Amino acid sequence: MKVEKILQVKDLNISFHTFSGEVKAIRGVSFDLFKGETLAIVGESGSGKSVTTKSIMRLLPEHNSEIKSGEILFNGKDLTKLKDKEMQKIRGHDISMIFQDPMTSLNPTMKIGNQIMEPLIKHQNMSRHAAKERTLDLLKLVGIPKPEIRINQYPHQFSGGMRQRVVIAIALACNPQILIADEPTTALDVTIQAQILELMKDLQKKIDTSIIFITHDLGVVANVADRVAVMYGGKIVEIGTADEIFYNPQHPYTWGLISSMPDMDTDDEELFSIPGTPPDLLDPPKGDAFAARNPFVMKIDLELEPPFFKVSDTHYAATWLLHPDAPKVEPPDAVKRRQNQFNGLTGVSVGTASLEKGSQSQFPGIKEGK
Amino acid sequence: MAERKKLLEIKNLKQYFNEGKLNEVKAVDTVSFDIYKGEVMGLVGESGCGKSTTGRTIIRLYDATGGEVIYDGVNVHGKKSKKQLKEFNRKMQMIFQDPYASLNPRLKIADVIAEGIDIHGLAKSKEERMEQVYELLETVGLNKEHATRYPHEFSGGQRQRIGIARALAVQPEFIIADEPISALDVSIQAQVVNLMKKLQKEKDLTYLFIAHDLSMVKYISDRIGVMYFGKMVELAPADELYRNPLHPYTQSLLSAIPAPDPISERSRRRKSYDPASHNYGGNESIEFREVTPGHFVLCSEKEFNQYKAQSNH
Amino acid sequence: MINKEKIISKDMFAPVHIDPSKSEKIAKPSMSAWQDAWLRVRKNKAAVISMVILAILIIMAFVGPLITPYDYSDQTTKHNNLPPRIQGLENIHWLPFDGTLTKRDGSEYNAYEVRKVDNYYWFGTDSLGRDLFARVWKGTQVSLFIAFMAALIDMLIGVSYGAISGYLGGKVDSSMQRIIEVIVGIPNLIVVVLMTLVLNPGIFPIILALTITGWTSMARVVRGQVLKYKGQEFVMAAKTLGASDGSIIFKHMIPNMFGVIIINTMFSIPSAIFFEAFLSFIGLGLQEPAASLGTLVNDGFKGMIAFPYQMIIPSLMIALIMVCFNMVADGLRDALDPKMRD
């Protein structure tokens, strides 16, 4: 059963022009977003995850950013080519975004009610009365008690978690097709985070919106994501369903991420940590950007960028380790434990054995790595 | 275990801001615990619980409103001579949370790290000073060339390591780490935590590790204290706390942590905590009681009996 | 690099040893915050042009009186009220340097020819026959001196006061701020008038008058910055290392405030120049034969209709200096503002 594709990002290349030169922040990113799913984009600082989503919304600073090539297809239009006025119609209405810091996402001098009503009046031409009704509904929907009183209050009268709920209400006011959430719970306490994540999943079911969820917290990813894209050095290095990524990861960077998070079984042994720091995209390294920190690095990683190798219909990883000629490597213990879990799950044996022979990038929309 | 030496004794510590006024905040409200030499004591809780304030009061960044902090037998607070204060500064050091605000942007790294050396006169010549700086840089996994650079040229993880080098420069015995990894990326967190563990073994350090990331705290700590609104509600060895959390707040906290494991996430049920659910009567005394050896819980007499019964099956 | 064309041979999959220390390398060249700021100031054309103009003006203020054959206080009453005339430019009639004056009825005449004067006065002469070129540059010298001194003293007093007030906090801070409020409440002019009554008018009394009340804005700005830095972790770190209060203020906080301090100082120079000019204009400034831009404007004002150049030239100079300082300060503020980094 084919699920509808809502968004297609094809071979996006974005650079920033700074004093020191051109920073190639996004170097060939492609992915699709399906209706009703939650796609998590995981990565660390400098991986390009925020830049990618901001480019979907065309929120990158105009004076020094440049979309060098690529397409973002939404509802039959290429968002990279739209004029600002046309983008304004889409923002808040078809695609909404929520950010990390609820304190600065809301206008401190405007009542909450007015902030929620703004997109309703502007995009859907509602009368103030109708907008107010809908706002009360939205406040109830996001779990804010006594909405009739709260609607006239200011942001400083709300706690952090409450503010984030209001932000979500504003974002969902016009029932957008896509909700982009850029680290929405990173600044919240653990218990509040749990509440907000529950709320988002609940709302997603009710409104049938697709969510792109950016985070660096793998626990949160495990909680919300249907599919996961792992980004490093401005590219997607691995993409698959949540189960595939957590229980059968193939890229050494994903291995590193998973092994560096202690869980209940981690004993006194040293936490596996990826040495070094992410690459400087001012001068992206030749070949695989992860090579300098890759304990399994091979000669070819220093020369050629790996293309995507297919692990399953839904699972692709860009690492030369999946090439038929590559030696078999033992992933870290933490990963091996998970792979055993995976065997139990699907009955399919894991590792490079499941790779189709000679397949290079059959991932839709991906061009060969440059 | 009984021969372990107590390095730090905190007795009924109180830190009230704006005491007596309308906007009085009881940030730390009668907290007592001990820290033994050579151990890693974890302190967890959510924002506003008072864990950072506790750390800062211990190291005298704030003056305690009440209670005592006794370090190696000597009271830390109260009137002290300059010499005595300097001694405390050498023995107790702190690592801060925000790698972007904890280094002076105008100083070269060498000067940042050597500040403690200069203040306490630990180097007799310029060369010796630089030698010590280079050694410290290498200890934390950085290079000599980094000494002449400025903080803004480094990444968050590298800055945090510079902060650790700075604290180590005075050769302390006890380090308070105030949310040292919260602002770092996941893979960098592991680097810093591994470094801290290594240093602890090599230099026989004692840590107070303040954080809100419970999985990392469990990994590095020997014992963990849980704080809620200025009070410590539970204190137990790390494994014990996770296996057998007794206080309902601890249970709710643990149930809220998302694990990087989709299967368990699908079945996880979150418990929420309502302070009113204790239903304390007016004359019940709520104290920090030892339910099983080493495992303390803030509770009433009734609850104490309940918990004891639970733990003894 | 296109994959398809490169042949991937088996030996390329041999493992390679990586040097972990290489991964800590920093690629960009080291740059202090100042170098970074300079690069950005360079981008602001208005600021750069203003800096060049100011440099020229300052050089001229010293060189100017030397390159003219006349001394600024020499009076040659026979040559009074002559318009500007510059050799070489005198025959270009749309430039004002041709030695002509306009009579009330609109007709032009060459004042030098009419009065049979052979000398050239580049900026003309005043009512007592003194060379305006020498006087204008001398005046610029004096005005700039007064302004710089006033700004410097303001800065020293303001920074210390504000830093101490902010750092100590509590009751000390409150009382120090109340004192500032009282000072600010007293009209500047009254203070100056009292000063000039008590002390005779001269350069130092004017500087004193300017500085008595001018330091308050710097003090407030610095106090605000100190309050901000007090809560910053690197200051707390210095405290836990055992740094003394003085060391914290002067080694840690103030270097981070240099930008703000410089900008504030740069903005106060034009107001000092203007204020001095104003004082001189109303007669409370320097006295004869001392020249400052303000006294020149005052003198020129009297002959404004018949001899407009006597007022226009010093006024233009004041305006030019003020605009240039403002542009430079503006450029510096943008360059040093961390939020405008890209």
Side-chain angles (χ1 to χ4, degrees):
Chain A
M1 190 194 73
K2 270 252 165 168
V3 191
E4 188 193 335
K5 274 191 207 167
I6 294 278
L7 184 75
Q8 290 180 52
V9 175
K10 295 188 178 195
D11 204 28
L12 200 56
N13 276 286
I14 300 179
S15 290
F16 286 94
H17 298 284
T18 67
F19 267 114
S20 332
E22 184 185 347
V23 175
K24 301 180 182 64
I26 304 288
R27 308 184 296 139
V29 165
S30 308
F31 62 91
D32 299 326
L33 182 69
F34 297 96
K35 191 162 162 61
E37 76 162 347
T38 300
L39 170 71
I41 301 186
V42 189
E44 297 177 300
S45 327
S47 59
K49 50 191 201 302
S50 277
V51 175
T52 307
T53 49
K54 282 197 184 142
S55 68
I56 296 176
M57 291 286 269
R58 297 283 301 282
L59 286 177
L60 292 172
E62 297 225 326
H63 68 273
N64 64 351
S65 72
E66 187 193 341
I67 299 181
K68 298 194 84 158
S69 66
E71 301 176 306
I72 303 175
L73 302 176
F74 174 69
N75 275 347
K77 300 195 193 107
D78 180 0
L79 297 181
T80 60
K81 309 261 184 315
L82 287 187
K83 294 210 185 58
D84 207 31
K85 270 243 181 300
E86 297 170 291
M87 233 11 250
Q88 276 179 26
K89 292 206 201 107
I90 295 184
R91 288 188 204 120
H93 183 251
D94 300 302
I95 308 182
S96 282
M97 194 156 176
I98 60 181
F99 298 93
Q100 174 174 348
D101 189 357
M103 283 221 275
T104 51
S105 301
L106 293 172
N107 183 337
T109 59
M110 241 170 112
K111 289 187 192 162
I112 295 291
N114 289 333
Q115 296 192 48
I116 302 179
M117 288 194 266
E118 195 179 1
L120 291 170
I121 297 175
K122 276 221 135 67
H123 285 299
Q124 298 191 335
N125 280 324
M126 279 191 183
S127 67
R128 258 196 91 81
H129 180 76
K132 189 155 180 220
E133 288 297 312
R134 172 111 175 99
T135 301
L136 288 170
D137 285 336
L138 282 166
L139 286 174
K140 281 195 209 99
L141 194 65
V142 297
I144 292 187
K146 299 212 185 79
E148 322 75 41
I149 302 179
R150 295 296 221 168
I151 198 176
N152 285 320
Q153 289 186 333
Y154 290 90
H156 67 264
Q157 297 172 277
F158 289 71
S159 70
M162 287 283 169
R163 276 185 217 145
Q164 201 63 316
R165 288 172 194 263
V166 170
V167 167
I168 293 174
I170 298 175
L172 295 177
C174 299
N175 289 336
Q177 294 181 291
I178 301 180
L179 174 66
I180 302 179
D182 191 345
E183 308 238 30
T185 56
T186 306
L188 303 173
D189 280 327
V190 136
T191 47
I192 310 290
Q193 169 176 278
Q195 290 172 16
I196 298 289
L197 291 178
E198 275 168 21
L199 174 68
M200 287 179 74
K201 286 194 287 193
D202 193 44
L203 290 175
Q204 185 190 28
K205 281 199 206 90
K206 286 199 182 118
I207 302 182
D208 199 28
T209 176
S210 313
I211 301 181
I212 300 180
F213 200 107
I214 300 171
T215 177
H216 62 261
D217 183 341
L218 289 179
V220 169
V221 173
N223 187 297
V224 299
D226 298 310
R227 288 194 308 136
V228 182
V230 180
M231 282 189 76
Y232 186 82
K235 305 179 84 123
I236 296 183
V237 296
E238 188 161 4
I239 185 167
T241 65
D243 283 346
E244 285 167 338
I245 296 289
F246 279 98
Y247 301 117
N248 189 22
Q250 297 295 315
H251 194 286
Y253 177 63
T254 318
W255 289 349
L257 280 184
I258 290 187
S259 325
S260 50
M261 297 192 66
D263 54 35
M264 295 309 162
D265 301 316
T266 314
D267 285 329
D268 251 340
E269 84 226 24
E270 192 180 280
L271 266 186
F272 178 96
S273 74
I274 311 177
T277 33
D280 187 349
L281 292 175
L282 193 60
D283 180 23
K286 187 175 159 197
D288 189 353
F290 187 58
R293 307 169 68 193
N294 185 355
F296 305 100
V297 67
M298 302 179 288
K299 232 169 85 176
I300 192 171
D301 287 313
L302 301 173
E303 314 239 342
L304 290 176
E305 278 181 25
F308 273 100
F309 288 90
K310 181 172 168 176
V311 183
S312 80
D313 279 336
T314 45
H315 187 181
Y316 291 80
T319 168
W320 285 117
L321 287 173
L322 290 175
H323 191 279
D325 289 337
K328 296 246 180 308
V329 294
E330 287 280 297
D333 285 337
V335 177
K336 276 205 283 215
R337 279 200 290 267
R338 286 167 180 271
Q339 285 177 337
N340 291 333
Q341 276 182 289
F342 190 66
N343 281 339
L345 257 189
T346 62
V348 175
S349 70
V350 301
T352 55
S354 62
L355 184 60
E356 282 180 10
K357 256 226 165 91
S359 68
Q360 303 246 325
S361 50
Q362 287 176 27
F363 189 69
I366 288 277
K367 290 214 190 94
E368 296 277 0
K370 290 199 203 64
Chain B
M1 284 284 219
E3 325 87 41
R4 274 195 312 173
K5 175 178 161 213
K6 279 192 199 173
L7 191 59
L8 195 67
E9 290 171 76
I10 293 152
K11 300 188 174 169
N12 300 318
L13 190 64
K14 290 186 188 53
Q15 182 63 262
Y16 296 174
F17 293 112
N18 295 322
E19 203 180 354
K21 300 201 195 126
L22 275 173
N23 55 351
E24 176 184 70
V25 171
K26 294 192 178 158
V28 181
D29 194 6
T30 321
V31 167
S32 304
F33 61 98
D34 301 321
I35 302 183
Y36 295 93
K37 187 152 167 60
E39 79 167 334
V40 178
M41 169 83 172
L43 196 57
V44 301
E46 297 181 299
S47 45
C49 69
K51 54 193 196 298
S52 279
T53 312
T54 304
R56 291 179 185 182
T57 308
I58 293 175
I59 204 167
R60 249 197 106 121
L61 277 172
Y62 301 146
D63 288 319
T65 318
E68 296 180 302
V69 175
I70 301 186
Y71 184 84
D72 215 2
V74 185
N75 193 336
V76 169
H77 289 266
K79 239 181 145 24
K80 296 276 166 212
S81 70
K82 266 198 170 171
K83 186 159 157 270
Q84 287 172 308
L85 285 176
K86 269 202 165 171
E87 264 182 51
F88 279 129
N89 288 325
R90 275 204 69 186
K91 293 195 186 156
M92 277 200 269
Q93 271 302 312
M94 196 156 183
I95 304 171
F96 296 88
Q97 171 177 1
D98 186 350
Y100 295 94
S102 59
L103 302 179
N104 185 340
R106 301 278 173 200
L107 291 179
K108 289 201 182 135
I109 296 305
D111 297 320
V112 169
I113 295 180
E115 186 166 7
I117 299 176
D118 295 333
I119 294 174
H120 297 275
L122 297 174
K124 294 176 199 63
S125 65
K126 265 194 168 175
E127 292 80 34
E128 205 186 326
R129 179 185 187 263
M130 280 322 279
E131 273 304 307
Q132 291 185 17
V133 168
Y134 290 145
E135 210 185 301
L136 286 161
L137 278 171
E138 285 187 23
T139 309
V140 299
L142 292 170
N143 305 334
K144 276 192 194 171
E145 301 90 57
H146 292 141
T148 49
R149 294 200 173 247
Y150 289 90
H152 66 262
E153 304 182 64
F154 294 86
S155 70
Q158 290 172 320
R159 282 186 227 202
Q160 207 62 321
R161 285 189 267 161
I162 294 169
I164 295 176
R166 174 176 59 189
L168 289 176
V170 299
Q171 295 148 27
E173 302 174 329
F174 175 59
I175 295 187
I176 301 180
D178 188 357
E179 307 237 34
I181 53 175
S182 310
L184 303 176
D185 281 325
V186 160
S187 65
I188 312 289
Q189 287 185 7
Q191 272 180 27
V192 172
V193 167
N194 281 338
L195 174 66
M196 287 180 71
K197 267 197 136 181
K198 183 180 91 155
L199 289 171
Q200 190 209 4
K201 289 200 192 83
E202 279 176 17
K203 303 196 188 258
D204 196 25
L205 295 168
T206 308
Y207 286 140
L208 174 63
F209 195 93
I210 302 174
H212 63 258
D213 178 352
L214 291 100
S215 10
M216 205 50 101
V217 171
K218 183 205 176 243
Y219 170 69
I220 195 178
S221 307
D222 299 311
R223 293 191 301 144
I224 301 178
V226 180
M227 286 187 72
Y228 181 72
F229 276 116
K231 294 199 186 292
M232 185 168 287
V233 297
E234 193 159 357
L235 172 62
D239 285 328
E240 168 75 8
L241 190 78
Y242 279 70
R243 263 180 298 139
N244 186 24
L246 291 174
H247 195 279
Y249 174 67
T250 314
Q251 291 171 346
S252 117
L253 196 60
L254 289 174
S255 75
I257 314 168
D261 192 330
I263 298 176
S264 79
E265 282 301 298
R266 287 195 268 268
S267 55
R268 183 167 62 90
R269 288 286 159 262
R270 188 175 61 87
K271 277 196 194 148
S272 50
Y273 174 65
D274 181 2
S277 64
H278 289 282
N279 274 324
Y280 289 133
N283 53 358
E284 287 192 82
S285 92
I286 314 212
E287 281 168 30
F288 208 47
R289 305 167 203 258
E290 191 164 9
V291 176
T292 59
H295 190 156
F296 299 79
V297 186
L298 186 74
C299 54
S300 64
E301 182 109 31
K302 215 179 4 162
E303 290 173 326
F304 174 67
N305 294 326
Q306 266 178 286
Y307 297 147
K308 240 186 141 62
Q310 266 178 269
S311 314
N312 282 338
H313 58 262
Chain C
M1 265 209 298
I2 302 179
N3 256 347
K4 288 192 181 126
E5 283 157 24
K6 257 211 163 183
I7 303 169
I8 302 173
S9 56
K10 270 224 160 182
D11 66 336
M12 293 186 92
F13 291 93
V16 162
H17 172 72
I18 37 160
D19 181 3
S21 68
K22 276 217 188 118
S23 58
E24 299 285 358
K25 218 164 60 99
I26 299 176
K28 291 188 229 166
S30 180
M31 249 202 318
S32 77
W34 292 114
Q35 290 165 308
D36 188 53
W38 174 241
L39 276 179
R40 274 189 287 151
V41 171
R42 270 192 357 202
K43 259 188 165 190
N44 183 339
K45 295 207 176 63
V48 174
I49 295 178
S50 302
M51 279 195 267
V52 171
I53 296 180
L54 278 179
I56 295 178
L57 287 179
I58 294 177
I59 294 175
M60 282 305 288
F62 290 100
V63 166
L66 300 173
I67 60 176
T68 181
Y70 314 101
D71 186 61
Y72 76 96
S73 54
D74 282 349
Q75 300 178 11
T76 317
T77 25
K78 274 197 293 188
H79 291 171
N80 68 343
N81 293 326
L82 286 171
R85 185 166 79 150
I86 300 181
Q87 306 93 314
L89 293 176
E90 57 185 318
N91 293 314
I92 306 174
H93 287 284
W94 48 268
L95 279 179
F97 300 112
D98 55 0
T100 56
L101 280 175
T102 319
K103 283 209 282 216
R104 221 174 271 208
D105 55 15
S107 62
E108 276 192 9
Y109 70 97
N110 190 316
Y112 287 80
E113 282 163 21
V114 164
R115 290 164 59 175
K116 299 194 182 51
V117 175
D118 288 329
N119 321 52
Y120 282 83
Y121 292 98
W122 294 332
F123 280 0
T125 57
D126 66 358
S127 57
L128 293 177
R130 295 179 289 201
D131 175 32
L132 274 181
F133 188 83
R135 282 186 74 74
V136 163
W137 292 119
K138 184 79 186 153
T140 307
Q141 217 183 69
V142 171
S143 291
L144 281 177
F145 177 73
I146 293 177
F148 272 118
M149 285 302 293
L152 187 68
I153 296 176
D154 275 351
M155 181 188 88
L156 290 173
I157 301 180
V159 169
S160 328
Y161 196 90
I164 294 175
S165 177
Y167 193 77
L168 293 178
K171 292 211 180 79
V172 175
D173 181 33
S174 293
S175 17
M176 285 175 91
Q177 290 308 301
R178 297 296 85 78
I179 295 177
I180 288 188
E181 276 157 34
V182 168
I183 293 180
V184 164
I186 303 175
N188 229 356
L189 202 48
I190 297 186
V191 175
V192 173
V193 169
L194 288 174
M195 285 279 123
T196 41
L197 286 180
V198 170
L199 315 153
N200 293 316
I203 289 192
F204 286 102
I206 292 189
I207 293 180
L208 190 62
L210 282 174
T211 56
I212 282 225
T213 50
W215 56 270
T216 50
S217 67
M218 177 71 83
R220 281 177 167 168
V221 164
V222 168
R223 172 182 174 268
Q225 292 281 306
V226 167
L227 287 177
K228 176 180 108 173
Y229 284 116
K230 245 183 7 178
Q232 292 259 4
E233 292 182 350
F234 71 85
V235 168
M236 283 197 255
K239 275 204 197 143
T240 57
L241 283 169
S244 64
D245 287 339
S247 161
I248 291 179
I249 296 182
F250 288 102
K251 187 170 152 199
H252 286 284
M253 291 192 186
I254 292 197
N256 278 295
M257 292 187 235
F258 278 152
V260 169
I261 294 176
I262 291 178
I263 290 166
N264 233 280
T265 311
M266 294 220 88
F267 272 121
S268 69
I269 291 180
S271 28
I273 292 192
F274 182 77
F275 193 63
E276 180 276 321
F278 172 70
L279 286 181
S280 303
F281 191 70
I282 60 174
L284 289 177
L286 297 174
Q287 303 296 312
E288 297 286 314
S292 77
L293 290 174
T295 59
L296 291 174
V297 172
N298 191 16
D299 294 340
F301 178 68
K302 298 173 193 130
M304 193 172 74
I305 309 226
F307 313 109
Y309 64 91
Q310 288 178 357
M311 194 182 88
I312 290 180
I313 294 180
S315 308
L316 267 181
M317 201 61 77
I318 294 179
L320 194 62
I321 295 177
M322 285 177 70
V323 168
C324 287
F325 266 111
N326 275 314
M327 300 255 91
V328 171
D330 231 17
L332 274 181
R333 181 177 48 199
D334 285 351
L336 291 171
D337 183 354
K339 291 192 200 88
M340 294 184 75
R341 285 222 151 118
D342 47 21

